[in-house]
Amino acid sequence: MNVNQRRVHLDNVSYILAFSFLFPLLSVLLRLPFGGIGFVVSFLAVLWLFLQHRNMFKPILFSPVSLWLILMVYHFVNLIFNVGNKIDMTLFRGNMLPCFILYLSAYIAYYDFDLFLKRIMQLYFSFIVLSVIAFITGQT
């Protein structure tokens, strides 16, 4: 993959990250009934990166981010078998979404750290603005 293709690829992953990061808050703010789409998009993006760009995804797969995902899955399996609780899918999606966001963030940061810093600052600023709007309008 040449430099221009890699840049376009990382931009696409950045857009997926932005959607996964901001859409749950936007769905609450706009009272949309499908806030779980952020989880589905991030999960499919990580799956796509793993299947289509396996060589580029391997360093991320063997990073501490995977440990976080394994711990989250362990806790949900523990809830089912040892505690006897049923899995609340909303809670499951809400707890697993940060894992996939971490995967996407680590992927971008590994290949272009400057782009990662720029995009993550934009995302956090947007998240803060949307959170303040949600708080002011009483959506929280």
Side-chain angles (χ1 to χ4, degrees):
M1 190 179 289
N2 67 26
V3 176
N4 289 333
Q5 289 175 330
R6 179 175 281 181
R7 180 62 181 213
V8 169
H9 174 69
L10 290 176
D11 281 340
N12 291 337
V13 175
S14 296
Y15 298 140
I16 293 168
L17 173 66
F19 180 82
S20 299
F21 190 73
L22 295 176
F23 187 77
L25 180 59
L26 281 172
S27 68
V28 168
L29 188 61
L30 300 175
R31 296 178 191 231
L32 299 174
F34 33 83
I37 291 178
F39 169 77
V40 172
V41 167
S42 63
F43 173 75
L44 292 175
V46 169
L47 187 64
W48 167 70
L49 288 171
F50 176 72
L51 295 175
Q52 295 296 318
H53 303 281
R54 188 167 301 180
N55 290 337
M56 289 180 70
F57 195 72
K58 263 187 194 170
I60 310 309
L61 192 61
F62 296 117
S63 70
V65 175
S66 294
L67 181 62
W68 182 259
L69 180 65
I70 291 167
L71 284 173
M72 292 304 292
V73 170
Y74 166 76
H75 288 301
F76 276 98
V77 169
N78 186 41
L79 277 175
I80 293 170
F81 291 114
N82 293 336
V83 180
N85 288 354
K86 290 178 133 182
I87 288 187
D88 179 14
M89 286 310 288
T90 305
L91 181 65
F92 179 76
R93 284 191 313 261
N95 286 328
M96 297 304 284
L97 178 62
C99 297
F100 296 121
I101 287 175
L102 277 174
Y103 267 119
L104 296 172
S105 298
Y107 185 83
I108 297 167
Y110 185 80
Y111 290 105
D112 192 347
F113 193 71
D114 292 335
L115 175 70
F116 168 73
L117 288 178
K118 179 181 163 187
R119 294 291 163 86
I120 207 71
M121 293 302 289
Q122 292 169 345
L123 280 175
Y124 275 117
F125 180 74
S126 302
F127 189 83
I128 290 169
V129 168
L130 290 173
S131 297
V132 168
I133 291 170
F135 180 74
I136 289 172
T137 60
Q139 301 294 325
T140 57

